[in-house]
Amino acid sequence: PSRTLVVQKMVNRLCLIALLVHAISATVYFREDFDSPRWRDKWIQSEHSGKEFGKFEWTAGKFYGDVDKDKGLKTSEDARFYAISAKFEENKFSNEGKDLIVQFSVKHEQNIDCGGGYMKVFDCSLDQKSLHGDSPYVIMFGP
């Protein structure tokens, strides 16, 4: 191989290593794997009046790879509203001047006539027990 090709490969490897080091050093502000029944200590279900809220179940659901590792929250009743929230680890953060990456996954097991699953990020003033569809949010993901 030519000297230029060898140098280019070395530069590519160094760039990849720098990218990996940057990714590894990223700050995680919130993470939930639902891998323990202790999720109930962190998550608060809304008790807002005027809505028929359904209860969440902690389960791997109807299909899974590993019954223990694939657990999550499942909506247990049809035609109900669901509202649950958890605070960021330090209860506040700023990503000013930095990218914010939000990732979540949803597994739909039943046919849904209408509705959907939403994920919202609220500011620190949210009253978790009174969370409802009109609670002001900062970011929303969903259908």
Side-chain angles (χ1 to χ4, degrees):
S2 72
R3 180 173 162 79
T4 304
L5 185 59
V6 170
V7 169
Q8 183 61 42
K9 284 184 177 181
M10 187 179 298
V11 168
N12 288 347
R13 287 182 185 145
L14 288 173
C15 287
L16 179 60
I17 290 170
L19 180 64
L20 290 172
V21 167
H22 177 70
I24 291 170
S25 67
T27 301
V28 176
Y29 295 105
F30 185 89
R31 180 182 180 119
E32 179 62 74
D33 294 316
F34 295 106
D35 57 355
S36 159
R38 293 187 52 205
W39 69 269
R40 289 179 181 92
D41 297 339
K42 184 193 301 188
W43 291 85
I44 306 296
Q45 185 155 350
S46 178
E47 298 172 358
H48 185 73
S49 62
K51 299 286 184 189
E52 293 184 50
F53 283 111
K55 298 292 181 200
F56 287 96
E57 293 178 357
W58 181 57
T59 178
K62 294 177 185 175
F63 56 92
Y64 49 83
D66 182 299
V67 70
D68 293 319
K69 292 181 181 177
D70 293 341
K71 286 187 176 179
L73 295 186
K74 176 184 175 185
T75 56
S76 63
E77 304 168 78
D78 291 338
R80 298 283 187 214
F81 292 95
Y82 291 86
I84 195 166
S85 62
K87 293 187 179 264
F88 284 91
E89 303 300 328
E90 296 179 20
N91 197 19
K92 63 181 181 176
F93 73 92
S94 172
N95 69 310
E96 188 173 339
K98 300 180 242 170
D99 292 333
L100 175 64
I101 299 170
V102 178
Q103 177 181 333
F104 70 106
S105 61
V106 177
K107 176 173 65 170
H108 294 288
E109 294 183 329
Q110 76 263 26
N111 295 327
I112 299 175
D113 294 330
C114 68
Y118 296 86
M119 197 280 304
K120 296 179 180 179
V121 177
F122 300 92
D123 69 15
C124 297
S125 66
L126 175 69
D127 176 1
Q128 291 178 273
K129 291 276 188 183
S130 185
L131 173 63
H132 56 88
D134 293 327
S135 295
Y137 58 88
V138 179
I139 301 172
M140 180 178 84
F141 299 91

